[in-house]
Amino acid sequence: YYRKVDNPSAGIYQHKISLSPLTGYQEVPKFYIGAYKASANRTAPLRLWSVVNTTAEYRGGNNNADLDAGDNTQLGKPVTYIRLTNEARPWVRNIVSGEYKWNVITHRHSMLLYELFIIEYATLNSQKAFNATLTAEGYKQGGLGAGVTTVTSATWNTFNAYYPLIPCGTSNSLANGTGEVNYTIPNFGDASGAVKVNRYRGVENPFGDIWEWCDGASIFNEGAGGVSKFYTCDNPANFADGTATNYDHRANLPIANTYPISMWHDDKGILIPKDSGGDAATYWCDYYYASGLVNAWRALRRGGSAVSLSDAGFGFLNANNAAINRSANFGARLCYLP
């Protein structure tokens, strides 16, 4: 499709899309987003897949076989406890050796999907209550609901130490549609285990449950008195960590945690946090976790986890970790760029 952002007056941005080429519009080549948080095929060489599979070969989390018979089983769940640089990106590259069509979801393509949601639902708050009824004019209203973001942190820790909660394919009854389905985590320990698993045009859990690493984006914090620089790379063959080589400096980020009031509206379809002072129900609604100005490179995660509450959403970003870090709720999603 084709897209364009106009800025007719201060603070006003018009996001436009077309199926036909129009003057001044940028072509967006076809791309595919994984329907599910990524699973790992554990047969060597390890590979990431977007799949519904409950066998040990695709055991999720950190591959703990001791839990297979329990309510906290990792069978059928997405893989976590993975680093962008050591597991997620190399495992994607193993799908087809020597080519760069399969990728950990890039920040750009996650934002393009977000932009489509913004246009379709005419809201910046993706966690508005889901409403299947069209307006009198025939337009969508509401949002995607809270998603899997409302569980109790201590109970999650006791249940499975912050590993994934939702089996891949839980919302498959919605097929390529949009909506939410009820799901109760078996014997979770409290009422917060009754959640709603949402889906946007076939993409399950576009936010919540576990964090997703994003590729093709890096942050460099210059240290005290400096700025936080946001870099992107368009060529997957050049994706790397801790370097500005083959990356473009797109903008500077806030240096403190914030709900952004406004965004940089990038000509490539990337929305970048710009300034501070919003909240969960106004302006951009989703939170941005900055890592401060400690002199270091940082990678980007998106979407939030099962305890993120109103911070979460399509635009929820976290720049607190290096690409070499991992945690029980750090996972990934695939994208395919033909």
Side-chain angles (χ1 to χ4, degrees), residues 85-221:
T85 189
N86 286 53
E87 287 89 25
R89 189 187 299 128
W91 292 356
V92 167
R93 297 287 178 254
N94 286 340
I95 296 175
V96 180
S97 179
E99 73 168 37
Y100 300 93
K101 296 180 179 180
W102 289 99
N103 291 276
V104 174
I105 190 169
T106 73
H107 177 58
R108 181 189 182 211
H109 289 91
S110 73
M111 292 294 98
L112 287 171
L113 189 66
Y114 183 25
E115 181 179 57
L116 294 178
F117 166 82
I118 290 170
I119 293 171
E120 183 175 7
Y121 278 80
T123 181
L124 302 178
N125 186 356
S126 50
Q127 287 190 291
K128 279 185 178 179
F130 177 71
N131 188 339
T133 303
L134 300 180
T135 68
E137 298 81 13
Y139 295 112
K140 299 289 179 64
Q141 59 180 326
L144 301 179
V148 185
T149 65
T150 57
V151 307
T152 304
S153 179
T155 309
W156 187 13
N157 185 29
T158 300
F159 181 74
N160 71 357
Y162 298 112
Y163 283 96
L165 296 170
I166 307 303
C168 297
T170 296
S171 64
N172 272 357
S173 60
L174 299 173
N176 278 334
T178 299
E180 57 185 7
V181 299
N182 294 319
Y183 179 74
T184 300
I185 303 164
N187 295 311
F188 183 64
D190 66 26
S192 72
V195 297
K196 291 185 181 294
V197 179
N198 57 12
R199 198 172 181 107
Y200 178 64
R201 291 190 167 267
V203 177
E204 182 174 88
N205 282 330
F207 50 84
D209 188 25
I210 58 171
W211 287 96
E212 298 176 10
W213 284 113
C214 289
D215 215 342
S218 287
I219 298 96
F220 180 64
N221 299 311

